[in-house]
């Protein structure tokens, strides 16, 4: 969940930014833009990452791991909040399947009104 800006540092000074995870042994530039692009990986679709996440696997209740998004919201890649990157869009529903929230089109003959279904 932390990264060094050069090798040999005794303690990594930078916290991995929200929406990303940073595995152990990563080195980063002091420039946050290149840091997030070169060393931090985007959290997977259907999950969110708070600052300081250090692994890619979801572990409920562990803030150093990705978490599941709230049903009725959609978390695109790189989401940093439980509310996701958007409400589930009109014409779609966002159920949790196997712990991951997905945006799925409403079945033919069904109506999904409004956002957040």
């Amino acid at each position: 969940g932390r990264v060094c800006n050069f090798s040999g540092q005794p303690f990594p000074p930078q916290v991995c930014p929200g929406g990303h995870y940073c595995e152990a042994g990563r080195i980063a530039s002091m420039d946050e833009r290149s840091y997030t692009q070169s060393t931090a990986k985007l959290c997977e679709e259907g999950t969110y990452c708070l600052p300081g996440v250090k692994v890619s696997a979801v572990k409920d209740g562990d803030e150093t791991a990705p978490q599941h998004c709230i049903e009725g919201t959609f978390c695109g890649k790189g989401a940093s909040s439980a509310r996701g990157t958007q409400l589930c869009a009109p014409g779609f529903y966002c159920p949790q399947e196997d712990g991951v929230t997905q945006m799925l089109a409403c079945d033919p003959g069904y109506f999904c009104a409004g956002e957040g279904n």
Side-chain angles (χ1 to χ4, degrees):
R2 300 183 73 87
V3 292
C4 297
N5 49 347
F6 55 88
S7 62
Q9 287 184 294
F11 182 76
Q14 294 179 312
V15 174
C16 192
H20 298 79
Y21 66 94
C22 299
E23 298 169 318
R26 295 289 185 176
I27 298 174
S29 163
M30 286 300 286
D31 176 3
E32 188 172 314
R33 284 173 291 169
S34 62
Y35 156 69
T36 58
Q37 293 171 3
S38 65
T39 61
K41 296 178 182 175
L42 288 173
C43 286
E44 294 299 317
E45 192 172 277
T47 66
Y48 71 95
C49 293
L50 297 172
V53 169
K54 58 186 176 180
V55 295
S56 61
V58 173
K59 187 173 180 186
D60 288 323
D62 181 349
E63 291 185 357
T64 65
Q67 300 297 303
H68 295 119
C69 289
I70 298 170
E71 257 186 300
T73 63
F74 179 72
C75 289
K77 275 190 141 217
S80 60
S81 163
R83 297 209 181 274
T85 50
Q86 68 188 67
L87 287 175
C88 196
F92 292 82
Y93 65 106
C94 296
Q96 272 195 3
E97 294 180 13
D98 297 324
V100 177
T101 305
Q102 300 177 9
M103 189 180 304
L104 304 172
C106 291
D107 293 328
Y110 289 88
F111 180 68
C112 298
E115 295 179 310
N117 294 302

